[in-house]
Amino acid sequence: MTRLQTLFLTIFHFIASRWRWRILRGKRLRRYQEKRARRIVRYANTHSPFYRQHWASHNLDNWRSLPTVDKRLMMDNFDTFNTVGIKRDDAMEVTLHAERSRDFTPALGGYTVGLSSGTSGHRGIFLAGAWEQATWAGCILSRTLHNLRPRKLRVAFFLRSNSNLYEKIGGIFIKFRFFDLMLPLEQAIATLNTFKPHIVVGPPSLLGFLADAREHGTLAIHPERLVSVAEVLEPQDSARLTNVFNAPVHQIYQCTEGLLAISCSEGSLHIQEDLVVMQLEPIPNDSAPARRASPIVTDLWRTTQPIIRYRLNDVLRVSNERCDCGSPFRVIDAIEGRSDDILYFHANDGTDRPFFPDTIRRMVLLADPSIEDYYVIQERPGHLRIHLTLKPEASFTRVAAALTSTAQNTLAEYNCQPADLQIEEGLPTLPAGTKRRRVVRKNMGIQPQS
Ligand SMILES: [Zn+2]
């Protein structure tokens, strides 16, 4: 595609997704999803040898109950999963070369190749054709720029690795600057001070560093909005960022598997129901009435690498309430983390009971007001190691005692035996560029019972 065609298509999708945001309601939305899903299922069945075999003996019209796929299945069958015959080894070669050289422009046979920023050994590769990139760019701009004002918008974008996917959205309407997350912070701050962005997009851990710099007076920007991507945005971080920058913090929930949810002008994180169908599966053994669920995602648009009934291991809480902005697209109240990071403690009845990252977060932060940050790791069921940073004047011994009693009381409340608990001062340092997760379960090979 020429640059002009790309631009035209981006504008088309910008307008189309604005229209869908206003028009698609109730039955109409449901019909729209059905039509697109059936079309994409038929396409995958014809063009992806993997899906054809995976669905053999299933009725494709009942697409909502077709067998699911996940990252492992996708990566193990990469060569036949995609519909354009790209080999996994070739795609990996291209992405690794891009990572090493930090030159993210190369593509493979006209397709953009990207690597998902997974923390575990399972890295995902995504492929996108030129028209898919233009669709993506048009939709994301339409849904993130809530009110159009005639001006040139400056957006600073912090990413672990750029991809030529992101560079497409630069151009006439937006002055767009990419910052490599590996760039030393002082250098990024200097550039930001001259660039003066209206919007800063980045993972919350990075936005937190920028908030520190703003408080110390080295960073002098006044963004109108911050957008959190790539990591879970915890409420205490969101509150601090809002406070320091005096600007709202919105979210984009996106992964290799697609563009899943974006904050509206009211700040609610809406599932993009015209782009993906998100089926929600309750979490096994979750006794709290918190409506926690794991999503199964069907992307209604992508054909190069069709994502159909794809199981994500995130834990979400989805609201029953309509948002004030008027959109009927469902709202995600919280992304609590990954289901890999559910911790297990021994219950008095002999079973292992799941504790969600959000429960652990509250337990730690509510134990003592002088706790500034934390990192929790579980190495085996019943074990818990908590790393803390405290306000300068706080006594570690006192806080550790308070946290010990809060933790053991919380476990007792849920009929669990006391944890094998260690509390340490100071956070472990993570390699630059890794995604932050504050609650981590070391792989213990246990599966939630279903
Ligand atoms: Zn809304």
Side-chain angles (χ1 to χ4, degrees), residues 21 262-270 322-327 329 331:
W21 177 256
I262 300 179
S263 297
C264 69
S265 54
E266 299 287 317
S268 311
L269 187 60
H270 287 272
R322 263 283 192 101
C323 177
D324 288 344
C325 76
S327 170
F329 290 5
V331 169

